[in-house]
Amino acid sequence: MRSPWIKPGLAVAVALAAGLPQACAAEPDPATRLKLLVDAYPESLAGVDGNRLVFRDGGSALEIDDGRTKDHQAALKAGDVEDSLRQIYPLGACEMTPAVNADPGRIRSDALMMRLYGGSAKAVEADLVRVDWFGATLRVTKRQGAAAALEKVRDALAERPELKRYLAPSAGTFNWRKVSGAPNLSVHSFGAAIDLNTKYADYWVWSGGKPGKVPTYANKYPLEIVDLFERHGFIWGGRWYHYDTMHFEYRPELIAIAKAAGASACR
């Protein structure tokens, strides 16, 4: 089985063939990315055994690389763990226009997310807790530290009252559903995502975009908000070519990989 996570040289070739951004020398190698993934979810992940992720619950290990070469749209529809870690997320309180199909974090492994948060709406709901959010109460998963991280974001944002209009009312957190127009599950399904006030939202579909062809990037949210979310393990949908600027999701592994890569939106 081809495994670019064991043979890093092949990872670049596969990325080029798929039309994805190729790795540069400063980026963490596949083994480092997997270690950072495991470190980001100590509640559930025990380690890596060859081409498999090992879980603390003793359940079956999860294949990291399914051996299939995918273009960007195929990876979005049915990504494996390898696919989900390939693109590097850029950090910082700076705005940048994402390159075509640069969607770091938008590619996910549903199988991994279900193991981290629950394999059904009922299973996820069992771990939802209530988080106060600027006059409202939101339901967020306590698994993997997501709710605690969102509370830290809230407390930091509360010190900036001029930002409140962008934050509330929230457009929602937990909602077991697929991504609009796609077969894979939204991170909202796992109670690990939040949408801010839709009044200021921009979305690639609303701009008349098509998959792989988005004509206009736009954003109305202050970058101070983005920076505070990122500091606590959340990525922003405004960093995606297929942008969704009101959307934040808890993906601490991608923040850790970004830090290891020195990836900055301010360059």
Side-chain angles (χ1 to χ4, degrees):
M1 176 185 294
R2 174 194 61 80
S3 181
W5 291 94
I6 297 173
K7 300 178 181 178
L10 289 180
V12 175
V14 170
L16 287 170
L20 298 174
Q22 63 175 306
C24 64
E27 294 180 358
D29 64 17
T32 300
R33 297 187 201 199
L34 286 170
K35 181 181 185 302
L36 292 170
L37 170 67
V38 171
D39 291 347
Y41 299 104
E43 174 185 325
S44 296
L45 297 182
V48 175
D49 179 12
N51 189 40
R52 303 183 304 167
L53 274 179
V54 181
F55 292 82
R56 294 191 182 278
D57 63 7
S60 59
L62 178 64
E63 188 176 57
I64 294 168
D65 173 21
D66 62 15
R68 296 167 51 214
T69 299
K70 309 179 188 78
D71 64 17
H72 189 64
Q73 293 303 318
L76 286 170
K77 292 176 181 178
D80 59 20
V81 175
E82 172 209 343
D83 298 322
S84 74
L85 301 180
R86 190 178 298 170
Q87 295 188 338
I88 302 292
Y89 180 90
L91 293 166
C94 296
E95 193 161 322
M96 61 184 292
T97 301
V100 175
N101 286 341
D103 289 327
R106 192 164 172 254
I107 296 173
R108 295 180 294 275
S109 164
D110 274 359
L112 175 58
M113 297 297 284
M114 288 181 177
R115 294 292 294 274
L116 294 176
Y117 295 107
S120 66
K122 183 177 180 180
V124 173
E125 284 190 279
D127 289 312
L128 297 180
V129 296
R130 297 189 179 278
V131 173
D132 292 333
W133 185 261
F134 302 98
T137 301
L138 307 178
R139 295 197 300 163
V140 182
T141 183
K142 66 181 180 181
R143 296 288 303 273
Q144 317 304 335
L150 186 60
E151 289 175 335
K152 290 178 181 178
V153 174
R154 176 204 62 205
D155 292 346
L157 289 169
E159 298 179 3
R160 301 288 304 276
E162 73 277 12
L163 298 176
K164 182 179 178 181
R165 63 191 173 116
Y166 299 99
L167 308 172
S170 164
T173 50
F174 171 69
N175 182 7
W176 184 271
R177 62 173 176 81
K178 293 182 179 179
V179 174
S180 179
N184 56 315
L185 288 167
S186 165
V187 177
H188 286 285
S189 299
F190 306 105
I194 180 173
D195 288 340
L196 303 186
N197 188 347
T198 57
K199 180 179 179 180
Y200 302 97
D202 291 284
Y203 180 44
W204 67 277
V205 175
W206 298 345
S207 73
K210 303 294 182 183
K213 190 175 182 180
V214 178
T216 305
Y217 176 85
N219 170 52
K220 302 182 186 71
Y221 293 100
L223 274 295
E224 295 92 335
I225 294 174
V226 176
D227 183 54
L228 288 172
F229 268 97
E230 290 176 348
R231 287 173 185 269
H232 296 287
F234 290 81
I235 65 169
W236 177 44
R239 299 285 191 215
W240 299 337
Y241 176 70
H242 299 89
Y243 58 87
D244 183 358
T245 64
M246 69 178 171
H247 179 83
F248 292 85
E249 60 187 58
Y250 186 62
R251 301 290 296 283
E253 76 280 19
L254 296 185
I255 298 297
I257 291 169
K259 289 178 179 178
S264 174
C266 300
R267 295 177 184 170

